[in-house]
Amino acid sequence: LHVKKERLAASRAGVDPVTKLLRARKLPPLKKRLMAVYRSLVTKTDSDGRVISELFMKKPTVKAYPEYYMFIKQPIDLREIRGNIKTEYSNLDELMAAVNLMVDNACTFNEEGSQVYNDALTLRQVAQDAIKRLRNAWLGPKKPRRVHGSILFQPPLLGT
């Protein structure tokens, strides 16, 4: 129910969750940044207006898809990811790792080129783009720094 409310609010606002967060004048707390990425995932629609995250909200049941659990050793869904945002993830990289696991599971189990396979890849791209936008907004692009006469690139901070 809360996911449907988030989708409805986002569609009414006409602004994606990351853009809304980027309007803040200072760096928002980590949980708000994580939730903005999550909301980007659950509000993403295709050209027909179909919410592509629908199939990823809940893991397949063992009764309906017993073979899924033979192939997939670490199943995860968007509801679990949302719960982990509140309790487990301490940076954007951990959230991205969970999204990658979900996408890898979908791509392993489903045939290449299928709707589920393609939707999974789209969700990965949505998460990567959202995280990149959040990092660039407050950190800017990677800036070179000098170390013993050599130029190195400063990596982004993990907690961002």
Side-chain angles (χ1 to χ4, degrees):
L1 182 63
H2 59 80
V3 173
K4 289 183 181 181
K5 287 181 183 178
E6 288 172 357
R7 286 186 197 133
L8 183 61
S11 65
R12 284 183 185 157
V15 177
D16 76 278
V18 173
T19 300
K20 185 176 178 181
L21 193 63
L22 291 177
R23 292 179 180 162
R25 295 180 185 211
K26 63 179 185 172
L27 183 65
L30 176 64
K31 298 296 182 215
K32 284 191 176 193
R33 289 177 276 152
L34 293 170
M35 282 305 295
V37 174
Y38 172 82
R39 285 189 191 103
S40 294
L41 292 169
V42 298
T43 58
K44 177 66 178 166
T45 58
D46 65 10
S47 59
D48 297 327
R50 180 181 62 87
V51 177
I52 65 172
S53 62
E54 243 0 274
L55 291 173
F56 299 90
M57 294 308 298
K58 290 174 58 177
K59 294 177 270 202
T61 64
V62 175
K63 187 175 182 178
Y65 294 97
E67 63 277 6
Y68 180 83
Y69 294 90
M70 292 170 43
F71 292 103
I72 305 303
K73 301 304 177 199
Q74 291 182 290
I76 190 167
D77 58 30
L78 285 170
R79 287 188 327 171
E80 186 174 337
I81 289 172
R82 187 178 198 281
N84 290 344
I85 286 173
K86 295 179 179 181
T87 59
E88 291 188 29
Y89 303 143
S90 60
N91 59 54
L92 291 168
D93 293 329
E94 290 178 1
L95 173 60
M96 191 65 228
V99 171
N100 281 331
L101 175 61
M102 182 183 73
V103 170
D104 291 345
N105 289 347
C107 290
T108 298
F109 188 72
N110 294 282
E111 188 175 326
E112 186 175 348
S114 69
Q115 183 175 333
V116 175
Y117 187 98
N118 293 336
D119 287 351
L121 296 178
T122 299
L123 289 177
R124 175 182 282 151
Q125 191 62 54
V126 167
Q128 288 172 339
D129 292 347
I131 289 171
K132 183 178 179 181
R133 288 175 56 210
L134 286 170
R135 284 189 169 144
N136 287 342
W138 286 284
L139 294 176
K142 294 180 183 178
K143 296 179 181 174
R145 63 181 174 99
R146 292 199 176 269
V147 175
H148 303 293
S150 301
I151 295 179
L152 300 175
F153 283 90
Q154 182 70 35
L157 301 173
L158 286 178
T160 59

